[in-house]
């Protein structure tokens, strides 16, 4: 057993709950961040300029605020979700009042197959696009975003959708353990679409950041990182959510106990091992939106780190939507080599001004880089393959006015999209409310799954590249 700090040759780990206000200001004043109670790092990383200390300071403050508002934020989110389901179960607001007067009000069951998340009320589509068939060039992307969106729902809803609407085999919905948060904060589900021995596809879908989940947001803003030998620096918060072990780091194997929920990476890997042993032609894809996209991106990183050659050869593709950056340039180069070696597609979808793919920062202070092929869609759902999405770091004054104008035009589009594409593209009042938030904070509403679903269904881009070429972001193509 190799201790974590020995298995990772280099690291910077933030500990937001260890210090107080005085320690925060000391962090800003002293260039030696190792002296701060908030930072644990190797000797070579202890010297930091003011800009780096300022970003660490902001990250810790945000995590502290998220910890303080965790309960009220969770209560608000649960209350809003219950209210939306109460309206839905009873028809509408007036029918709800009528049922209340008659003492016949329908109370939603939070664990039922009809109970929907706040995310589902932004986009209530559950059916796959009937215009796309298995083998179509768009099929995997359109299927993946629906699976990524479905991951936000409860286990019963997911199972019913997979079985009843998609007519596929439901393998399970899982709540996974995060050793660092000491609770089950990572969710994923698996399905299998076995049409024949030659067409046997398993899908692993990770849940993204729920709107009012402060633990998930804490993971997103955590800029801790660990450097894996011969791999590169990887985002610490995402690795912790995937299954990084406190004392061992990433051992090849671990013993899962029954005293707590299982760990995501090791449990999913074991299930995939069994599936590919059953059928030598079985393939699998990994997908996710937002935080789920980050976990989907890191999953093959750890497979490669462990030398899981057979699994990587069966990996049909990785499809992420609104995914944040997960590591440094060395990691990007490592994964480009692995994807080319094993002929793996890695397609990273970015819509409009979505702020999440533009975080954490890619500049001289922080080393975060994207890898894989970026497929970028604008508000007209016209796509192009680019090396990096426009305005790659989001916070830029020269982009502020164009982003506000773009958000305003998205609001206008909300009232005409039904006429242009059909009733299934209709945007309800809840999504329109989020569109108004985008007028003040452009990039927030653009992160919702709705536009990613639309992009893969009606977008102008046909991803007709060979599997190897798809994994190379340097090959730029503009297809309109």
């Amino acid at each position: 057993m190799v201790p974590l700090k020995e298995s990772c040759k280099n690291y910077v780990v933030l500990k937001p709950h260890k210090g107080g206000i005085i320690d925060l200001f000391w962090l800003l004043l002293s260039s030696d961040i190792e002296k701060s109670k908030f930072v644990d790092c190797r000797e070579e990383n202890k010297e930091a300029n003011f800009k780096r200390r300022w970003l660490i300071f902001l990250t810790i403050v945000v995590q502290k605020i998220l910890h303080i508002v965790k309960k009220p934020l969770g209560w608000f989110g649960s209350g809003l979700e219950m209210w939306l389901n109460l309206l839905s179960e009873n028809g509408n607001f007036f029918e709800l009042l009528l049922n209340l007067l008659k003492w016949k009000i329908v109370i939603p069951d939070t664990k039922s197959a009809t109970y929907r998340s706040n995310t589902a009320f932004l986009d209530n589509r559950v059916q796959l696009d009937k215009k796309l068939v298995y083998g179509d060039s768009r099929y995997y992307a359109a299927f993946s975003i629906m699976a990524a969106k479905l991951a936000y729902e409860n286990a019963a809803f997911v199972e019913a959708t997979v079985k009843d609407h998609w007519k596929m085999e439901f393998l399970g919905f899982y709540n996974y353990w995060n050793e660092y948060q000491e609770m089950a904060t990572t969710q994923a589900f698996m399905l299998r679409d076995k049409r024949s021995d030659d067409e046997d596809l398993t899908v692993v879908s990770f849940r993204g950041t729920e709107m009012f989940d402060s633990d998930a947001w804490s993971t997103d803003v955590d800029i801790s990182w660990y450097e894996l030998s011969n791999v590169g620096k990887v985002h610490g918060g995402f690795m912790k959510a995937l299954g990084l072990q406190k004392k061992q780091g990433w051992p090849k194997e671990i013993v899962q106990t029954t005293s707590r929920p299982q760990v995501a990476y090791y449990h999913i890997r074991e299930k995939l091992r069994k599936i590919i042993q059953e059928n030598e032609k079985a393939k699998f894809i990994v997908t996710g939106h937002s935080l789920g996209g980050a976990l989907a991106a890191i999953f093959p990183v750890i497979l490669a780190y462990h030398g899981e050659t057979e699994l990587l050869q069966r990996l049909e593709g990785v499809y992420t939507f609104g995914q944040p950056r997960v590591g440094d340039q060395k990691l990007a180069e490592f994964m480009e080599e692995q994807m080319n070696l094993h002929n793996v597609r890695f397609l990273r979808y970015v819509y409009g001004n979505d702020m999440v793919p533009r975080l954490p920062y890619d500049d001289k202070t922080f080393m975060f880089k994207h890898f894989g092929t970026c497929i970028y869609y604008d508000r007209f759902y016209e796509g192009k393959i680019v090396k990096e999405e426009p305005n790659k770091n989001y916070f830029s004054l020269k982009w502020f006015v164009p982003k506000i104008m773009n958000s305003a035009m998205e609001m206008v589009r909300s009232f005409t999209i039904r006429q242009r594409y059909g009733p299934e593209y209709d945007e309800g009042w809840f999504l329109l409310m989020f569109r108004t938030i985008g007028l003040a904070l452009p990039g927030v509403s653009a992160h919702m799954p709705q536009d990613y679903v639309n992009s893969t269904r009606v977008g102008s881009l046909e991803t007709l590249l060979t599997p190897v070429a798809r994994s190379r972001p340097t090959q730029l193509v503009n297809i309109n």
Side-chain angles (χ1 to χ4, degrees):
M1 181 186 299
V2 181
L4 173 58
K5 291 184 180 181
E6 293 182 20
S7 63
C8 296
K9 57 189 274 188
N10 203 1
Y11 60 88
V12 171
V13 180
L14 304 189
K15 301 179 291 184
H17 307 310
K18 291 294 184 180
I21 295 178
I22 295 177
D23 299 295
L24 271 173
F25 287 104
W26 177 253
L27 175 64
L28 287 177
L29 294 173
S30 175
S31 61
D32 186 352
I33 59 174
E34 191 184 28
K35 292 181 179 179
S36 169
K37 293 181 180 180
F38 294 114
V39 183
D40 181 16
C41 65
R42 291 284 194 186
E43 180 74 17
E44 57 266 34
N45 296 316
K46 70 177 186 177
E47 292 296 325
N49 59 33
F50 181 78
K51 183 177 180 181
R52 186 182 177 200
R53 299 199 309 274
W54 174 247
L55 290 174
I56 293 174
F57 171 87
L58 289 178
T59 299
I60 291 171
V61 169
V62 169
Q63 289 189 74
K64 280 186 171 293
I65 293 173
L66 286 169
H67 181 70
I68 292 171
V69 303
K70 175 180 177 177
K71 288 186 177 180
L73 189 65
W75 291 335
F76 176 80
S78 298
L80 176 61
E81 191 173 84
M82 176 57 73
W83 172 248
L84 292 171
N85 278 278
L86 197 62
L87 289 175
S88 177
E89 292 283 356
N90 288 275
N92 54 49
F93 180 73
F94 296 105
E95 288 184 34
L96 174 61
L97 289 179
L98 186 61
N99 288 344
L100 183 61
L101 293 173
K102 294 179 179 179
W103 291 95
K104 292 183 178 180
I105 189 169
V106 180
I107 304 298
D109 179 1
T110 59
K111 296 182 179 180
S112 74
T114 59
Y115 190 87
R116 291 181 286 170
S117 71
N118 288 317
T119 301
F121 281 100
L122 292 171
D123 181 1
N124 60 12
R125 289 172 288 188
V126 295
Q127 294 283 6
L128 299 177
D129 188 355
K130 296 179 180 179
K131 297 178 183 177
L132 300 179
V133 296
Y134 190 86
D136 188 289
S137 61
R138 296 173 182 255
Y139 179 81
Y140 280 141
F143 183 21
S144 294
I145 182 55
M146 290 300 290
K149 185 170 79 76
L150 183 60
Y152 285 98
E153 308 309 311
N154 66 55
F157 190 105
V158 173
E159 182 175 5
T161 300
V162 171
K163 289 181 176 180
D164 301 337
H165 294 285
W166 299 356
K167 307 300 180 183
M168 298 176 186
E169 181 184 356
F170 176 70
L171 299 181
F173 181 95
Y174 312 102
N175 290 290
Y176 290 119
W177 189 255
N178 184 325
E179 276 205 343
Y180 291 80
Q181 294 183 347
E182 297 184 341
M183 63 181 72
T185 59
T186 301
Q187 288 79 34
F189 78 89
M190 298 178 65
L191 65 84
R192 192 173 185 181
D193 184 14
K194 187 174 183 180
R195 302 161 188 260
S196 67
D197 285 342
D198 291 332
E199 296 180 351
D200 185 352
L201 180 70
T202 296
V203 178
V204 179
S205 179
F206 290 97
R207 177 180 290 182
T209 305
E210 294 183 277
M211 284 182 275
F212 304 102
D213 184 348
S214 65
D215 289 321
W217 283 109
S218 292
T219 297
D220 289 339
V221 301
D222 185 354
I223 57 174
S224 302
W225 54 263
Y226 297 90
E227 184 171 1
L228 301 179
S229 179
N230 300 319
V231 174
K233 298 173 182 176
V234 190
H235 189 290
F238 301 145
M239 285 212 296
K240 293 169 186 176
L242 189 61
L244 182 71
Q245 301 295 289
K246 273 187 178 180
K247 296 181 179 179
Q248 306 173 63
W250 286 112
K252 183 70 179 287
E253 307 288 345
I254 67 169
V255 177
Q256 302 262 34
T257 66
T258 57
S259 60
R260 70 181 192 193
Q262 299 193 70
V263 178
Y265 167 78
Y266 295 98
H267 179 253
I268 293 171
R269 186 188 64 178
E270 186 59 31
K271 291 188 73 68
L272 291 173
R273 282 174 173 174
K274 291 179 180 178
I275 290 171
I276 66 172
Q277 287 172 0
E278 294 174 5
N279 181 6
E280 64 181 10
K281 294 184 179 180
K283 299 281 188 177
F284 72 97
I285 62 175
V286 186
T287 188
H289 168 262
S290 190
L291 167 61
L295 299 180
I298 294 177
F299 185 78
V301 172
I302 308 304
L303 287 180
Y305 179 63
H306 285 157
E308 295 283 350
T309 302
E310 188 173 6
L311 278 174
L312 287 170
Q313 289 174 344
R314 304 291 189 91
L315 178 57
E316 180 69 19
V318 180
Y319 296 82
T320 71
F321 305 87
Q323 171 216 315
R325 297 183 177 98
V326 299
D328 68 351
Q329 182 61 38
K330 184 178 179 181
L331 174 69
E333 293 170 357
F334 171 80
M335 285 308 296
E336 295 295 335
E337 179 182 350
Q338 292 295 317
M339 289 184 291
N340 288 334
L341 177 64
H342 299 291
N343 204 21
V344 176
R345 303 178 182 93
F346 191 115
L347 301 183
R348 183 175 63 82
Y349 286 77
V350 178
Y351 167 76
N353 290 317
D354 185 349
M355 66 187 303
V356 176
R358 295 166 168 92
L359 299 170
Y361 249 48
D362 172 7
D363 63 5
K364 294 180 180 179
T365 303
F366 285 94
M367 72 300 165
F368 291 99
K369 302 286 183 182
H370 275 306
F371 56 85
T373 298
C374 177
I375 301 182
Y376 174 78
Y377 284 94
D378 61 21
R379 74 169 184 271
F380 301 105
Y381 301 128
E382 293 182 353
K384 57 184 177 181
I385 299 172
V386 297
K387 184 176 181 179
E388 189 79 61
E389 58 273 8
N391 184 25
K392 69 176 183 177
N393 282 327
Y394 187 74
F395 297 106
S396 173
L397 289 178
K398 73 175 184 178
W399 284 89
F400 182 73
V401 173
K403 284 189 292 188
I404 294 293
M405 294 177 63
N406 189 74
S407 295
M409 294 307 297
E410 287 175 335
M411 279 287 295
V412 173
R413 185 190 61 192
S414 296
F415 297 98
T416 61
I417 194 169
R418 178 188 177 96
Q419 287 72 31
R420 182 170 185 180
Y421 297 117
E424 66 269 28
Y425 293 89
D426 191 27
E427 298 188 2
W429 68 267
F430 192 46
L431 180 57
L432 288 175
M433 182 183 72
F434 268 82
R435 296 284 190 207
T436 61
I437 294 175
L439 297 176
L441 295 171
V444 174
S445 59
H447 184 57
M448 297 300 106
Q450 172 93 11
D451 287 313
Y452 284 101
V453 175
N454 293 350
S455 295
T456 59
R457 293 191 178 192
V458 303
S460 64
L461 181 66
E462 294 271 351
T463 54
L464 298 177
L465 301 178
T466 62
V468 174
R470 291 186 189 185
S471 68
R472 293 177 180 166
T474 54
Q475 297 189 3
L476 309 185
V477 183
N478 191 338
I479 308 175
N480 290 308

PDB file of all heavy atoms in Angstrom, residues 404-415:
ATOM      1  N   ILE A 404     -24.197  39.571 -23.142  1.00  0.00           N
ATOM      2  CA  ILE A 404     -25.525  40.056 -22.734  1.00  0.00           C
ATOM      3  C   ILE A 404     -26.463  40.096 -23.936  1.00  0.00           C
ATOM      4  O   ILE A 404     -27.630  39.681 -23.858  1.00  0.00           O
ATOM      5  CB  ILE A 404     -25.415  41.464 -22.102  1.00  0.00           C
ATOM      6  CG1 ILE A 404     -24.630  41.401 -20.777  1.00  0.00           C
ATOM      7  CG2 ILE A 404     -26.806  42.042 -21.868  1.00  0.00           C
ATOM      8  CD1 ILE A 404     -25.320  40.651 -19.668  1.00  0.00           C
ATOM      9  N   MET A 405     -25.962  40.597 -25.062  1.00  0.00           N
ATOM     10  CA  MET A 405     -26.773  40.666 -26.276  1.00  0.00           C
ATOM     11  C   MET A 405     -27.178  39.265 -26.740  1.00  0.00           C
ATOM     12  O   MET A 405     -28.313  39.035 -27.169  1.00  0.00           O
ATOM     13  CB  MET A 405     -26.008  41.398 -27.378  1.00  0.00           C
ATOM     14  CG  MET A 405     -25.762  42.873 -27.085  1.00  0.00           C
ATOM     15  SD  MET A 405     -24.785  43.684 -28.369  1.00  0.00           S
ATOM     16  CE  MET A 405     -25.890  43.508 -29.780  1.00  0.00           C
ATOM     17  N   ASN A 406     -26.243  38.335 -26.640  1.00  0.00           N
ATOM     18  CA  ASN A 406     -26.541  36.960 -27.045  1.00  0.00           C
ATOM     19  C   ASN A 406     -27.618  36.349 -26.152  1.00  0.00           C
ATOM     20  O   ASN A 406     -28.524  35.646 -26.626  1.00  0.00           O
ATOM     21  CB  ASN A 406     -25.270  36.114 -26.980  1.00  0.00           C
ATOM     22  CG  ASN A 406     -25.457  34.739 -27.595  1.00  0.00           C
ATOM     23  OD1 ASN A 406     -25.517  34.585 -28.810  1.00  0.00           O
ATOM     24  ND2 ASN A 406     -25.565  33.720 -26.748  1.00  0.00           N
ATOM     25  N   SER A 407     -27.541  36.617 -24.846  1.00  0.00           N
ATOM     26  CA  SER A 407     -28.558  36.117 -23.912  1.00  0.00           C
ATOM     27  C   SER A 407     -29.930  36.692 -24.236  1.00  0.00           C
ATOM     28  O   SER A 407     -30.948  36.002 -24.139  1.00  0.00           O
ATOM     29  CB  SER A 407     -28.172  36.472 -22.472  1.00  0.00           C
ATOM     30  OG  SER A 407     -26.995  35.802 -22.076  1.00  0.00           O
ATOM     31  N   ALA A 408     -29.958  37.967 -24.625  1.00  0.00           N
ATOM     32  CA  ALA A 408     -31.226  38.601 -25.004  1.00  0.00           C
ATOM     33  C   ALA A 408     -31.815  37.941 -26.244  1.00  0.00           C
ATOM     34  O   ALA A 408     -33.029  37.698 -26.330  1.00  0.00           O
ATOM     35  CB  ALA A 408     -31.016  40.090 -25.246  1.00  0.00           C
ATOM     36  N   MET A 409     -30.966  37.606 -27.205  1.00  0.00           N
ATOM     37  CA  MET A 409     -31.445  36.953 -28.420  1.00  0.00           C
ATOM     38  C   MET A 409     -31.913  35.523 -28.130  1.00  0.00           C
ATOM     39  O   MET A 409     -32.828  35.017 -28.792  1.00  0.00           O
ATOM     40  CB  MET A 409     -30.339  36.946 -29.484  1.00  0.00           C
ATOM     41  CG  MET A 409     -29.954  38.329 -29.985  1.00  0.00           C
ATOM     42  SD  MET A 409     -31.384  39.284 -30.568  1.00  0.00           S
ATOM     43  CE  MET A 409     -31.932  38.278 -31.935  1.00  0.00           C
ATOM     44  N   GLU A 410     -31.294  34.870 -27.148  1.00  0.00           N
ATOM     45  CA  GLU A 410     -31.771  33.540 -26.734  1.00  0.00           C
ATOM     46  C   GLU A 410     -33.164  33.638 -26.131  1.00  0.00           C
ATOM     47  O   GLU A 410     -34.001  32.736 -26.308  1.00  0.00           O
ATOM     48  CB  GLU A 410     -30.794  32.910 -25.745  1.00  0.00           C
ATOM     49  CG  GLU A 410     -29.494  32.441 -26.384  1.00  0.00           C
ATOM     50  CD  GLU A 410     -28.482  31.939 -25.372  1.00  0.00           C
ATOM     51  OE1 GLU A 410     -28.553  32.374 -24.185  1.00  0.00           O
ATOM     52  OE2 GLU A 410     -27.622  31.133 -25.739  1.00  0.00           O
ATOM     53  N   MET A 411     -33.430  34.737 -25.401  1.00  0.00           N
ATOM     54  CA  MET A 411     -34.776  34.965 -24.865  1.00  0.00           C
ATOM     55  C   MET A 411     -35.782  35.119 -26.003  1.00  0.00           C
ATOM     56  O   MET A 411     -36.877  34.540 -25.964  1.00  0.00           O
ATOM     57  CB  MET A 411     -34.784  36.221 -23.999  1.00  0.00           C
ATOM     58  CG  MET A 411     -34.265  36.034 -22.591  1.00  0.00           C
ATOM     59  SD  MET A 411     -35.417  35.114 -21.538  1.00  0.00           S
ATOM     60  CE  MET A 411     -36.804  36.261 -21.484  1.00  0.00           C
ATOM     61  N   VAL A 412     -35.417  35.868 -27.012  1.00  0.00           N
ATOM     62  CA  VAL A 412     -36.295  36.054 -28.166  1.00  0.00           C
ATOM     63  C   VAL A 412     -36.547  34.712 -28.858  1.00  0.00           C
ATOM     64  O   VAL A 412     -37.685  34.386 -29.244  1.00  0.00           O
ATOM     65  CB  VAL A 412     -35.681  37.060 -29.163  1.00  0.00           C
ATOM     66  CG1 VAL A 412     -36.506  37.129 -30.441  1.00  0.00           C
ATOM     67  CG2 VAL A 412     -35.564  38.437 -28.517  1.00  0.00           C
ATOM     68  N   ARG A 413     -35.498  33.928 -28.997  1.00  0.00           N
ATOM     69  CA  ARG A 413     -35.614  32.612 -29.643  1.00  0.00           C
ATOM     70  C   ARG A 413     -36.588  31.696 -28.909  1.00  0.00           C
ATOM     71  O   ARG A 413     -37.268  30.860 -29.519  1.00  0.00           O
ATOM     72  CB  ARG A 413     -34.233  31.948 -29.700  1.00  0.00           C
ATOM     73  CG  ARG A 413     -34.173  30.630 -30.457  1.00  0.00           C
ATOM     74  CD  ARG A 413     -32.838  29.948 -30.247  1.00  0.00           C
ATOM     75  NE  ARG A 413     -32.629  29.636 -28.846  1.00  0.00           N
ATOM     76  CZ  ARG A 413     -31.464  29.245 -28.322  1.00  0.00           C
ATOM     77  NH1 ARG A 413     -30.397  29.170 -29.097  1.00  0.00           N
ATOM     78  NH2 ARG A 413     -31.357  28.958 -27.040  1.00  0.00           N
ATOM     79  N   SER A 414     -36.678  31.846 -27.578  1.00  0.00           N
ATOM     80  CA  SER A 414     -37.563  31.008 -26.768  1.00  0.00           C
ATOM     81  C   SER A 414     -39.015  31.090 -27.221  1.00  0.00           C
ATOM     82  O   SER A 414     -39.762  30.124 -27.088  1.00  0.00           O
ATOM     83  CB  SER A 414     -37.471  31.412 -25.290  1.00  0.00           C
ATOM     84  OG  SER A 414     -36.181  31.172 -24.780  1.00  0.00           O
ATOM     85  N   PHE A 415     -39.412  32.236 -27.777  1.00  0.00           N
ATOM     86  CA  PHE A 415     -40.800  32.442 -28.188  1.00  0.00           C
ATOM     87  C   PHE A 415     -41.069  31.995 -29.621  1.00  0.00           C
ATOM     88  O   PHE A 415     -42.220  31.967 -30.057  1.00  0.00           O
ATOM     89  CB  PHE A 415     -41.181  33.911 -28.023  1.00  0.00           C
ATOM     90  CG  PHE A 415     -41.124  34.386 -26.594  1.00  0.00           C
ATOM     91  CD1 PHE A 415     -40.013  35.079 -26.117  1.00  0.00           C
ATOM     92  CD2 PHE A 415     -42.159  34.116 -25.712  1.00  0.00           C
ATOM     93  CE1 PHE A 415     -39.950  35.514 -24.803  1.00  0.00           C
ATOM     94  CE2 PHE A 415     -42.106  34.538 -24.388  1.00  0.00           C
ATOM     95  CZ  PHE A 415     -41.005  35.240 -23.926  1.00  0.00           C
TER      96      PHE A 415
END
